[in-house]
Amino acid sequence: MKTKYNYELIEDYLNGILDSKTMSEVKHLLETDEVARGIAQGILNMKERFDADESQMDDYLSQTLEKKQKLINDYSSQRSSLRIIKIAAAVLVLAVSTFAIYQLTQPTLNDVLAYELSQPYEMFITSRDGEGSLDHALVTYNNGNYAEVFNYIQNTHTAQSSFLKGLSYLYLEEYESAITELQSVANSDSRFEEQARWYLAIAYLQTDEPEKAKAILAQIKGNPNHYKAERAVEILDLLK
């Protein structure tokens, strides 16, 4: 084969119009190479979506590629996106078609969630002396020692402490406990209510409860002043 990531060759394989020798070579490639499989899957996805109408595919891409590229760029520096960047680089270097590039570089919901969870919410110390149990918990949290946070505020039940416990559970991947704590804050009239709603939606997505997450994200989307309104739109788009 002229190049192992030749888009037209993979498409011809999927259409069954290659000679038997080349068919065998491409089949082996797809069985052994992740990038080639990604290209093939991208072709199949786009053909299924647009019923092989290439003009309709081009119109769709011209309208959406700019929007999606912004989301891709947001996550391009994250460790969770290395597989996507690797595929995108290979595709770009080998001049694969535009819609294959789009399909392969589009972040998945898991990539978005991994990015959000890799950027812990920063909590600030509220008192001047920094000696209270809550302040110890905040310092511990900001140092990334989430399991130790509960040593200081296990029996404290203010909105701030519940939010702090909810975040700590979230980063410890104890999602059910995170949901319990974040729900109490999201339903309160506290200064942490907006943030708690956002992280509650993330926790629901981590526990495979997309409908509950969608309801919260739709509320966030409807509030242009919410600090995560734009990100909520992006995740809702990925959930469609």
Side-chain angles (χ1 to χ4, degrees), residues 84-100:
I84 293 176
I85 301 307
K86 173 185 174 184
I87 294 175
V91 171
L92 287 167
V93 169
L94 295 166
V96 178
S97 71
T98 302
F99 77 78

Side-chain angles (χ1 to χ4, degrees), residues 76-124:
S76 63
S77 63
Q78 298 304 311
R79 185 173 301 177
S80 62
S81 296
L82 289 179
R83 180 183 64 82
I84 293 176
I85 301 307
K86 173 185 174 184
I87 294 175
V91 171
L92 287 167
V93 169
L94 295 166
V96 178
S97 71
T98 302
F99 77 78
I101 293 172
Y102 166 76
Q103 195 68 22
L104 291 172
T105 57
Q106 182 184 23
T108 66
L109 179 60
N110 286 338
D111 294 315
V112 176
L113 295 178
Y115 174 83
E116 288 296 327
L117 292 172
S118 72
Q119 307 291 314
Y121 183 84
E122 185 174 0
M123 297 285 285
F124 298 97

Side-chain angles (χ1 to χ4, degrees), residues 21-136:
K21 180 177 183 297
T22 308
M23 285 284 286
S24 178
E25 291 176 350
V26 177
K27 179 181 179 181
H28 177 72
L29 174 65
L30 295 176
E31 290 174 344
T32 58
D33 190 279
E34 179 185 11
V35 175
R37 285 197 300 274
I39 294 172
Q41 188 59 58
I43 295 169
L44 291 173
N45 289 346
M46 295 297 281
K47 283 183 176 294
E48 179 181 358
R49 182 165 187 171
F50 295 101
D51 196 24
D53 185 340
E54 292 191 7
S55 64
Q56 190 178 9
M57 284 193 286
D58 288 341
D59 290 342
Y60 172 78
L61 288 167
S62 65
Q63 294 170 10
T64 61
L65 187 56
E66 181 178 350
K67 176 184 175 183
K68 295 301 182 184
Q69 190 61 50
K70 179 180 182 300
L71 182 58
I72 293 163
N73 291 340
D74 284 347
Y75 305 118
S76 63
S77 63
Q78 298 304 311
R79 185 173 301 177
S80 62
S81 296
L82 289 179
R83 180 183 64 82
I84 293 176
I85 301 307
K86 173 185 174 184
I87 294 175
V91 171
L92 287 167
V93 169
L94 295 166
V96 178
S97 71
T98 302
F99 77 78
I101 293 172
Y102 166 76
Q103 195 68 22
L104 291 172
T105 57
Q106 182 184 23
T108 66
L109 179 60
N110 286 338
D111 294 315
V112 176
L113 295 178
Y115 174 83
E116 288 296 327
L117 292 172
S118 72
Q119 307 291 314
Y121 183 84
E122 185 174 0
M123 297 285 285
F124 298 97
I125 295 177
T126 54
S127 67
R128 292 183 179 180
D129 57 22
E131 293 297 329
S133 59
L134 179 59
D135 290 331
H136 281 302

